[in-house]
PDB file of all heavy atoms in Angstrom:
ATOM      1  N   VAL A1289      54.346-149.597 182.578  1.00 94.00           N
ATOM      2  CA  VAL A1289      54.738-150.358 183.691  1.00 94.00           C
ATOM      3  C   VAL A1289      54.206-149.763 185.061  1.00 94.00           C
ATOM      4  O   VAL A1289      53.641-150.457 185.746  1.00 94.00           O
ATOM      5  CB  VAL A1289      56.309-150.608 183.687  1.00 94.00           C
ATOM      6  CG1 VAL A1289      56.782-151.039 185.106  1.00 94.00           C
ATOM      7  CG2 VAL A1289      56.686-151.623 182.636  1.00 94.00           C
ATOM      8  N   PHE A1324      58.682-152.689 190.044  1.00 97.00           N
ATOM      9  CA  PHE A1324      58.329-153.790 190.902  1.00 97.00           C
ATOM     10  C   PHE A1324      59.203-155.033 190.595  1.00 97.00           C
ATOM     11  O   PHE A1324      59.279-155.447 189.405  1.00 97.00           O
ATOM     12  CB  PHE A1324      56.869-154.240 190.742  1.00 97.00           C
ATOM     13  CG  PHE A1324      56.478-155.182 191.718  1.00 97.00           C
ATOM     14  CD1 PHE A1324      56.068-154.728 192.951  1.00 97.00           C
ATOM     15  CD2 PHE A1324      56.579-156.507 191.501  1.00 97.00           C
ATOM     16  CE1 PHE A1324      55.768-155.636 194.018  1.00 97.00           C
ATOM     17  CE2 PHE A1324      56.319-157.425 192.538  1.00 97.00           C
ATOM     18  CZ  PHE A1324      55.885-156.958 193.792  1.00 97.00           C
ATOM     19  N   ALA A1325      59.822-155.531 191.581  1.00 97.00           N
ATOM     20  CA  ALA A1325      60.863-156.566 191.461  1.00 97.00           C
ATOM     21  C   ALA A1325      60.367-157.929 191.994  1.00 97.00           C
ATOM     22  O   ALA A1325      60.328-158.090 193.222  1.00 97.00           O
ATOM     23  CB  ALA A1325      62.195-156.167 192.096  1.00 97.00           C
ATOM     24  N   LEU A1326      60.086-158.802 191.039  1.00 97.00           N
ATOM     25  CA  LEU A1326      59.670-160.178 191.532  1.00 97.00           C
ATOM     26  C   LEU A1326      60.794-161.168 190.989  1.00 97.00           C
ATOM     27  O   LEU A1326      61.325-161.954 191.732  1.00 97.00           O
ATOM     28  CB  LEU A1326      58.319-160.519 190.875  1.00 97.00           C
ATOM     29  CG  LEU A1326      57.871-161.948 191.016  1.00 97.00           C
ATOM     30  CD1 LEU A1326      57.591-162.324 192.449  1.00 97.00           C
ATOM     31  CD2 LEU A1326      56.605-162.121 190.207  1.00 97.00           C
ATOM     32  N   THR A1327      61.164-161.019 189.664  1.00 97.00           N
ATOM     33  CA  THR A1327      62.028-161.948 188.981  1.00 97.00           C
ATOM     34  C   THR A1327      63.459-161.880 189.461  1.00 97.00           C
ATOM     35  O   THR A1327      64.050-160.754 189.630  1.00 97.00           O
ATOM     36  CB  THR A1327      61.995-161.737 187.424  1.00 97.00           C
ATOM     37  OG1 THR A1327      60.587-161.604 187.050  1.00 97.00           O
ATOM     38  CG2 THR A1327      62.709-162.844 186.669  1.00 97.00           C
ATOM     39  N   GLY A1328      64.056-163.069 189.604  1.00 97.00           N
ATOM     40  CA  GLY A1328      65.490-163.055 189.908  1.00 97.00           C
ATOM     41  C   GLY A1328      66.256-164.076 189.056  1.00 97.00           C
ATOM     42  O   GLY A1328      65.502-164.853 188.232  1.00 97.00           O
ATOM     43  N   PRO A1329      67.508-164.226 189.221  1.00 98.00           N
ATOM     44  CA  PRO A1329      68.240-165.192 188.386  1.00 98.00           C
ATOM     45  C   PRO A1329      67.681-166.613 188.505  1.00 98.00           C
ATOM     46  O   PRO A1329      67.766-167.466 187.604  1.00 98.00           O
ATOM     47  CB  PRO A1329      69.679-165.052 188.879  1.00 98.00           C
ATOM     48  CG  PRO A1329      69.716-163.696 189.525  1.00 98.00           C
ATOM     49  CD  PRO A1329      68.373-163.427 190.002  1.00 98.00           C
ATOM     50  N   ALA A1331      64.651-167.576 189.738  1.00 96.00           N
ATOM     51  CA  ALA A1331      63.250-167.716 189.784  1.00 96.00           C
ATOM     52  C   ALA A1331      62.655-166.786 188.682  1.00 96.00           C
ATOM     53  O   ALA A1331      62.425-165.598 188.901  1.00 96.00           O
ATOM     54  CB  ALA A1331      62.541-167.325 191.117  1.00 96.00           C
ATOM     55  N   GLY A1332      62.392-167.417 187.532  1.00 96.00           N
ATOM     56  CA  GLY A1332      61.838-166.703 186.457  1.00 96.00           C
ATOM     57  C   GLY A1332      60.350-166.968 186.297  1.00 96.00           C
ATOM     58  O   GLY A1332      59.441-166.557 187.004  1.00 96.00           O
ATOM     59  N   SER A1333      60.020-167.967 185.395  1.00 94.00           N
ATOM     60  CA  SER A1333      58.582-168.390 185.229  1.00 94.00           C
ATOM     61  C   SER A1333      58.083-168.944 186.599  1.00 94.00           C
ATOM     62  O   SER A1333      56.834-168.704 186.891  1.00 94.00           O
ATOM     63  CB  SER A1333      58.538-169.451 184.205  1.00 94.00           C
ATOM     64  OG  SER A1333      58.996-169.035 182.962  1.00 94.00           O
ATOM     65  N   ASP A1334      58.901-169.642 187.275  1.00 93.00           N
ATOM     66  CA  ASP A1334      58.511-170.171 188.572  1.00 93.00           C
ATOM     67  C   ASP A1334      58.667-169.196 189.627  1.00 93.00           C
ATOM     68  O   ASP A1334      59.617-169.265 190.591  1.00 93.00           O
ATOM     69  CB  ASP A1334      59.282-171.490 188.915  1.00 93.00           C
ATOM     70  CG  ASP A1334      58.794-172.159 190.138  1.00 93.00           C
ATOM     71  OD1 ASP A1334      57.760-171.779 190.638  1.00 93.00           O
ATOM     72  OD2 ASP A1334      59.557-173.104 190.524  1.00 93.00           O
ATOM     73  N   ARG A1365      66.544-159.343 188.787  1.00 98.00           N
ATOM     74  CA  ARG A1365      66.981-158.857 187.474  1.00 98.00           C
ATOM     75  C   ARG A1365      65.821-158.571 186.524  1.00 98.00           C
ATOM     76  O   ARG A1365      64.693-159.035 186.810  1.00 98.00           O
ATOM     77  CB  ARG A1365      67.986-159.894 186.884  1.00 98.00           C
ATOM     78  CG  ARG A1365      67.412-161.191 186.463  1.00 98.00           C
ATOM     79  CD  ARG A1365      68.317-162.022 185.781  1.00 98.00           C
ATOM     80  NE  ARG A1365      67.752-163.343 185.405  1.00 98.00           N
ATOM     81  CZ  ARG A1365      68.337-164.291 184.782  1.00 98.00           C
ATOM     82  NH1 ARG A1365      69.635-164.093 184.389  1.00 98.00           N
ATOM     83  NH2 ARG A1365      67.809-165.436 184.460  1.00 98.00           N
ATOM     84  N   TYR A1366      66.104-157.944 185.458  1.00 98.00           N
ATOM     85  CA  TYR A1366      65.156-157.730 184.440  1.00 98.00           C
ATOM     86  C   TYR A1366      64.080-156.696 184.867  1.00 98.00           C
ATOM     87  O   TYR A1366      62.952-156.620 184.390  1.00 98.00           O
ATOM     88  CB  TYR A1366      64.387-158.924 183.966  1.00 98.00           C
ATOM     89  CG  TYR A1366      65.166-160.055 183.418  1.00 98.00           C
ATOM     90  CD1 TYR A1366      64.564-161.376 183.577  1.00 98.00           C
ATOM     91  CD2 TYR A1366      66.417-160.009 182.847  1.00 98.00           C
ATOM     92  CE1 TYR A1366      65.241-162.511 183.101  1.00 98.00           C
ATOM     93  CE2 TYR A1366      67.015-161.057 182.330  1.00 98.00           C
ATOM     94  CZ  TYR A1366      66.461-162.312 182.475  1.00 98.00           C
ATOM     95  OH  TYR A1366      67.082-163.408 182.029  1.00 98.00           O
ATOM     96  N   ILE A1367      64.449-155.880 185.862  1.00 98.00           N
ATOM     97  CA  ILE A1367      63.273-155.065 186.470  1.00 98.00           C
ATOM     98  C   ILE A1367      63.177-153.733 185.684  1.00 98.00           C
ATOM     99  O   ILE A1367      64.088-152.895 185.744  1.00 98.00           O
ATOM    100  CB  ILE A1367      63.657-154.853 187.997  1.00 98.00           C
ATOM    101  CG1 ILE A1367      63.905-156.205 188.678  1.00 98.00           C
ATOM    102  CG2 ILE A1367      62.436-154.111 188.655  1.00 98.00           C
ATOM    103  CD1 ILE A1367      62.857-157.309 188.414  1.00 98.00           C
ATOM    104  N   THR A1368      61.941-153.471 185.177  1.00 97.00           N
ATOM    105  CA  THR A1368      61.678-152.381 184.334  1.00 97.00           C
ATOM    106  C   THR A1368      61.598-151.095 185.251  1.00 97.00           C
ATOM    107  O   THR A1368      60.921-151.164 186.248  1.00 97.00           O
ATOM    108  CB  THR A1368      60.481-152.635 183.531  1.00 97.00           C
ATOM    109  OG1 THR A1368      60.650-153.681 182.703  1.00 97.00           O
ATOM    110  CG2 THR A1368      60.236-151.359 182.603  1.00 97.00           C
ATOM    111  N   PRO A1417      67.704-154.541 176.719  1.00 96.00           N
ATOM    112  CA  PRO A1417      66.810-155.492 176.117  1.00 96.00           C
ATOM    113  C   PRO A1417      66.506-155.144 174.620  1.00 96.00           C
ATOM    114  O   PRO A1417      65.708-154.282 174.335  1.00 96.00           O
ATOM    115  CB  PRO A1417      65.477-155.318 176.923  1.00 96.00           C
ATOM    116  CG  PRO A1417      65.727-154.249 177.903  1.00 96.00           C
ATOM    117  CD  PRO A1417      67.042-153.595 177.603  1.00 96.00           C
ATOM    118  N   PHE A1422      64.115-148.415 177.029  1.00 97.00           N
ATOM    119  CA  PHE A1422      63.437-148.269 178.357  1.00 97.00           C
ATOM    120  C   PHE A1422      64.425-148.727 179.468  1.00 97.00           C
ATOM    121  O   PHE A1422      65.232-149.535 179.276  1.00 97.00           O
ATOM    122  CB  PHE A1422      62.088-148.955 178.406  1.00 97.00           C
ATOM    123  CG  PHE A1422      62.109-150.395 178.323  1.00 97.00           C
ATOM    124  CD1 PHE A1422      62.298-151.162 179.447  1.00 97.00           C
ATOM    125  CD2 PHE A1422      61.853-151.017 177.163  1.00 97.00           C
ATOM    126  CE1 PHE A1422      62.202-152.630 179.378  1.00 97.00           C
ATOM    127  CE2 PHE A1422      61.821-152.387 176.980  1.00 97.00           C
ATOM    128  CZ  PHE A1422      62.006-153.242 178.134  1.00 97.00           C
ATOM    129  N   ASN A1424      65.792-150.648 182.326  1.00 98.00           N
ATOM    130  CA  ASN A1424      65.531-152.025 182.841  1.00 98.00           C
ATOM    131  C   ASN A1424      66.888-152.461 183.365  1.00 98.00           C
ATOM    132  O   ASN A1424      67.927-152.284 182.763  1.00 98.00           O
ATOM    133  CB  ASN A1424      65.097-152.876 181.632  1.00 98.00           C
ATOM    134  CG  ASN A1424      64.836-154.296 182.071  1.00 98.00           C
ATOM    135  OD1 ASN A1424      65.829-155.156 182.291  1.00 98.00           O
ATOM    136  ND2 ASN A1424      63.546-154.638 182.331  1.00 98.00           N
ATOM    137  N   ILE A1579      60.287-159.066 173.366  1.00 97.00           N
ATOM    138  CA  ILE A1579      60.162-158.590 174.790  1.00 97.00           C
ATOM    139  C   ILE A1579      58.738-158.932 175.287  1.00 97.00           C
ATOM    140  O   ILE A1579      58.487-159.505 176.390  1.00 97.00           O
ATOM    141  CB  ILE A1579      60.538-157.097 174.907  1.00 97.00           C
ATOM    142  CG1 ILE A1579      61.986-156.853 174.452  1.00 97.00           C
ATOM    143  CG2 ILE A1579      60.307-156.649 176.334  1.00 97.00           C
ATOM    144  CD1 ILE A1579      62.297-155.404 174.454  1.00 97.00           C
ATOM    145  N   THR A1582      58.061-162.486 176.067  1.00 96.00           N
ATOM    146  CA  THR A1582      58.700-163.038 177.244  1.00 96.00           C
ATOM    147  C   THR A1582      58.134-162.546 178.547  1.00 96.00           C
ATOM    148  O   THR A1582      58.035-163.338 179.535  1.00 96.00           O
ATOM    149  CB  THR A1582      60.179-162.758 177.251  1.00 96.00           C
ATOM    150  OG1 THR A1582      60.789-163.190 176.013  1.00 96.00           O
ATOM    151  CG2 THR A1582      61.046-163.203 178.381  1.00 96.00           C
ATOM    152  N   VAL A1583      57.712-161.364 178.614  1.00 94.00           N
ATOM    153  CA  VAL A1583      57.392-160.759 179.973  1.00 94.00           C
ATOM    154  C   VAL A1583      55.922-161.108 180.300  1.00 94.00           C
ATOM    155  O   VAL A1583      55.158-161.521 179.458  1.00 94.00           O
ATOM    156  CB  VAL A1583      57.593-159.258 180.053  1.00 94.00           C
ATOM    157  CG1 VAL A1583      58.993-158.936 179.741  1.00 94.00           C
ATOM    158  CG2 VAL A1583      56.744-158.588 178.997  1.00 94.00           C
ATOM    159  N   GLU A1584      55.583-160.938 181.497  1.00 90.00           N
ATOM    160  CA  GLU A1584      54.248-161.166 182.188  1.00 90.00           C
ATOM    161  C   GLU A1584      53.775-162.573 181.807  1.00 90.00           C
ATOM    162  O   GLU A1584      52.576-162.754 181.431  1.00 90.00           O
ATOM    163  CB  GLU A1584      53.241-160.093 181.687  1.00 90.00           C
ATOM    164  CG  GLU A1584      53.533-158.720 182.365  1.00 90.00           C
ATOM    165  CD  GLU A1584      52.431-157.700 181.999  1.00 90.00           C
ATOM    166  OE1 GLU A1584      51.335-158.157 181.687  1.00 90.00           O
ATOM    167  OE2 GLU A1584      52.670-156.509 182.305  1.00 90.00           O
ATOM    168  N   GLY A1585      54.643-163.591 181.951  1.00 90.00           N
ATOM    169  CA  GLY A1585      54.294-164.902 181.687  1.00 90.00           C
ATOM    170  C   GLY A1585      54.760-165.285 180.245  1.00 90.00           C
ATOM    171  O   GLY A1585      54.141-164.860 179.318  1.00 90.00           O
ATOM    172  N   ALA A1586      55.940-165.854 180.171  1.00 96.00           N
ATOM    173  CA  ALA A1586      56.561-166.152 178.919  1.00 96.00           C
ATOM    174  C   ALA A1586      55.618-166.950 178.019  1.00 96.00           C
ATOM    175  O   ALA A1586      54.843-167.793 178.585  1.00 96.00           O
ATOM    176  CB  ALA A1586      57.900-166.850 179.003  1.00 96.00           C
ATOM    177  N   ASN A1587      55.569-166.696 176.684  1.00 97.00           N
ATOM    178  CA  ASN A1587      54.390-167.186 175.938  1.00 97.00           C
ATOM    179  C   ASN A1587      54.297-168.750 175.866  1.00 97.00           C
ATOM    180  O   ASN A1587      53.284-169.303 175.878  1.00 97.00           O
ATOM    181  CB  ASN A1587      54.495-166.631 174.446  1.00 97.00           C
ATOM    182  CG  ASN A1587      53.737-165.329 174.378  1.00 97.00           C
ATOM    183  OD1 ASN A1587      53.371-164.785 175.440  1.00 97.00           O
ATOM    184  ND2 ASN A1587      53.631-164.809 173.255  1.00 97.00           N
ATOM    185  N   ILE A1588      55.467-169.474 175.779  1.00 98.00           N
ATOM    186  CA  ILE A1588      55.356-170.935 175.759  1.00 98.00           C
ATOM    187  C   ILE A1588      54.578-171.410 177.012  1.00 98.00           C
ATOM    188  O   ILE A1588      53.701-172.214 176.923  1.00 98.00           O
ATOM    189  CB  ILE A1588      56.755-171.530 175.640  1.00 98.00           C
ATOM    190  CG1 ILE A1588      57.480-171.188 174.374  1.00 98.00           C
ATOM    191  CG2 ILE A1588      56.571-173.034 175.740  1.00 98.00           C
ATOM    192  CD1 ILE A1588      58.806-171.821 174.114  1.00 98.00           C
ATOM    193  N   LEU A1589      54.995-170.866 178.138  1.00 96.00           N
ATOM    194  CA  LEU A1589      54.383-171.309 179.351  1.00 96.00           C
ATOM    195  C   LEU A1589      52.868-170.855 179.383  1.00 96.00           C
ATOM    196  O   LEU A1589      51.986-171.624 179.836  1.00 96.00           O
ATOM    197  CB  LEU A1589      55.120-170.656 180.517  1.00 96.00           C
ATOM    198  CG  LEU A1589      54.472-170.759 181.907  1.00 96.00           C
ATOM    199  CD1 LEU A1589      55.354-171.317 182.963  1.00 96.00           C
ATOM    200  CD2 LEU A1589      54.053-169.299 182.379  1.00 96.00           C
ATOM    201  N   THR A1590      52.572-169.613 178.950  1.00 96.00           N
ATOM    202  CA  THR A1590      51.236-169.145 178.941  1.00 96.00           C
ATOM    203  C   THR A1590      50.369-170.079 178.141  1.00 96.00           C
ATOM    204  O   THR A1590      49.212-170.384 178.485  1.00 96.00           O
ATOM    205  CB  THR A1590      51.225-167.680 178.367  1.00 96.00           C
ATOM    206  OG1 THR A1590      52.058-166.975 179.100  1.00 96.00           O
ATOM    207  CG2 THR A1590      49.838-167.172 178.349  1.00 96.00           C
ATOM    208  N   SER A1592      51.077-173.257 177.137  1.00 96.00           N
ATOM    209  CA  SER A1592      51.040-174.745 177.533  1.00 96.00           C
ATOM    210  C   SER A1592      50.530-174.971 178.863  1.00 96.00           C
ATOM    211  O   SER A1592      50.006-176.028 179.107  1.00 96.00           O
ATOM    212  CB  SER A1592      52.522-175.186 177.523  1.00 96.00           C
ATOM    213  OG  SER A1592      53.329-174.661 176.516  1.00 96.00           O
ATOM    214  N   LEU A1593      50.537-174.018 179.640  1.00 92.00           N
ATOM    215  CA  LEU A1593      50.168-174.258 181.063  1.00 92.00           C
ATOM    216  C   LEU A1593      49.080-173.474 181.575  1.00 92.00           C
ATOM    217  O   LEU A1593      48.240-174.014 182.335  1.00 92.00           O
ATOM    218  CB  LEU A1593      51.474-173.990 181.995  1.00 92.00           C
ATOM    219  CG  LEU A1593      51.546-174.716 183.274  1.00 92.00           C
ATOM    220  CD1 LEU A1593      51.711-176.209 182.995  1.00 92.00           C
ATOM    221  CD2 LEU A1593      52.703-174.220 184.077  1.00 92.00           C
ATOM    222  N   GLU A1696      51.644-180.995 178.234  1.00 95.00           N
ATOM    223  CA  GLU A1696      51.436-179.567 177.870  1.00 95.00           C
ATOM    224  C   GLU A1696      51.035-179.296 176.418  1.00 95.00           C
ATOM    225  O   GLU A1696      50.479-178.412 176.064  1.00 95.00           O
ATOM    226  CB  GLU A1696      52.762-178.863 178.170  1.00 95.00           C
ATOM    227  CG  GLU A1696      53.026-178.711 179.676  1.00 95.00           C
ATOM    228  CD  GLU A1696      54.120-177.719 179.913  1.00 95.00           C
ATOM    229  OE1 GLU A1696      54.840-177.329 178.971  1.00 95.00           O
ATOM    230  OE2 GLU A1696      54.313-177.242 181.006  1.00 95.00           O
TER     231      GLU A1696
HETATM  232  C1  FAD B3160      62.653-156.720 179.208  1.00 96.56           C
HETATM  233  C2  FAD B3160      62.057-157.410 180.423  1.00 96.56           C
HETATM  234  C3  FAD B3160      61.366-156.690 181.430  1.00 96.56           C
HETATM  235  C4  FAD B3160      60.911-157.324 182.599  1.00 96.56           C
HETATM  236  N1  FAD B3160      60.375-156.602 183.579  1.00 96.56           N
HETATM  237  C5  FAD B3160      60.077-157.239 184.699  1.00 96.56           C
HETATM  238  C6  FAD B3160      59.745-156.405 185.866  1.00 96.56           C
HETATM  239  O1  FAD B3160      59.517-155.221 185.809  1.00 96.56           O
HETATM  240  N2  FAD B3160      59.568-157.034 187.046  1.00 96.56           N
HETATM  241  C7  FAD B3160      59.743-158.382 187.174  1.00 96.56           C
HETATM  242  O2  FAD B3160      59.621-158.889 188.338  1.00 96.56           O
HETATM  243  N3  FAD B3160      60.158-159.176 186.134  1.00 96.56           N
HETATM  244  C8  FAD B3160      60.322-158.625 184.918  1.00 96.56           C
HETATM  245  N4  FAD B3160      60.695-159.417 183.869  1.00 96.56           N
HETATM  246  C9  FAD B3160      60.829-160.753 184.011  1.00 96.56           C
HETATM  247  C10 FAD B3160      59.956-161.546 183.192  1.00 96.56           C
HETATM  248  O3  FAD B3160      58.643-161.666 183.756  1.00 96.56           O
HETATM  249  C11 FAD B3160      60.547-163.000 183.110  1.00 96.56           C
HETATM  250  O4  FAD B3160      61.521-162.865 182.114  1.00 96.56           O
HETATM  251  C12 FAD B3160      59.582-164.071 182.735  1.00 96.56           C
HETATM  252  O5  FAD B3160      58.774-164.370 183.766  1.00 96.56           O
HETATM  253  C13 FAD B3160      60.338-165.354 182.232  1.00 96.56           C
HETATM  254  O6  FAD B3160      61.348-165.708 183.177  1.00 96.56           O
HETATM  255  P1  FAD B3160      62.802-166.057 182.547  1.00 96.56           P
HETATM  256  O7  FAD B3160      63.189-165.097 181.660  1.00 96.56           O
HETATM  257  O8  FAD B3160      63.666-166.362 183.733  1.00 96.56           O
HETATM  258  O9  FAD B3160      62.592-167.437 181.726  1.00 96.56           O
HETATM  259  P2  FAD B3160      62.495-168.961 182.168  1.00 96.56           P
HETATM  260  O10 FAD B3160      61.550-169.007 183.496  1.00 96.56           O
HETATM  261  O11 FAD B3160      63.932-169.384 182.349  1.00 96.56           O
HETATM  262  O12 FAD B3160      61.818-169.598 181.003  1.00 96.56           O
HETATM  263  C14 FAD B3160      62.482-170.149 179.828  1.00 96.56           C
HETATM  264  C15 FAD B3160      61.554-170.731 178.918  1.00 96.56           C
HETATM  265  O13 FAD B3160      60.987-171.841 179.546  1.00 96.56           O
HETATM  266  C16 FAD B3160      59.566-171.746 179.406  1.00 96.56           C
HETATM  267  N5  FAD B3160      58.983-172.397 180.605  1.00 96.56           N
HETATM  268  C17 FAD B3160      59.221-172.199 181.897  1.00 96.56           C
HETATM  269  N6  FAD B3160      58.399-172.969 182.688  1.00 96.56           N
HETATM  270  C18 FAD B3160      57.631-173.593 181.752  1.00 96.56           C
HETATM  271  C19 FAD B3160      56.566-174.578 181.976  1.00 96.56           C
HETATM  272  N7  FAD B3160      56.229-175.056 183.113  1.00 96.56           N
HETATM  273  N8  FAD B3160      55.884-175.049 180.881  1.00 96.56           N
HETATM  274  C20 FAD B3160      56.303-174.615 179.685  1.00 96.56           C
HETATM  275  N9  FAD B3160      57.318-173.693 179.426  1.00 96.56           N
HETATM  276  C21 FAD B3160      57.952-173.296 180.538  1.00 96.56           C
HETATM  277  C22 FAD B3160      59.172-170.279 179.345  1.00 96.56           C
HETATM  278  O14 FAD B3160      58.014-170.146 178.589  1.00 96.56           O
HETATM  279  C23 FAD B3160      60.461-169.780 178.472  1.00 96.56           C
HETATM  280  O15 FAD B3160      60.134-170.012 177.125  1.00 96.56           O
HETATM  281  C24 FAD B3160      61.132-158.702 182.668  1.00 96.56           C
HETATM  282  C25 FAD B3160      61.775-159.386 181.674  1.00 96.56           C
HETATM  283  C26 FAD B3160      62.236-158.852 180.587  1.00 96.56           C
HETATM  284  C27 FAD B3160      63.047-159.590 179.545  1.00 96.56           C
END
Side-chain angles (χ1 to χ4, degrees):
V1289 166
F1324 191 82
L1326 172 66
T1327 309
S1333 299
D1334 187 9
R1365 65 174 179 179
Y1366 304 152
I1367 309 306
T1368 303
F1422 62 86
N1424 182 280
I1579 298 174
T1582 301
V1583 299
E1584 290 193 14
N1587 273 7
I1588 295 181
L1589 167 125
T1590 302
S1592 322
L1593 206 65
E1696 288 194 349

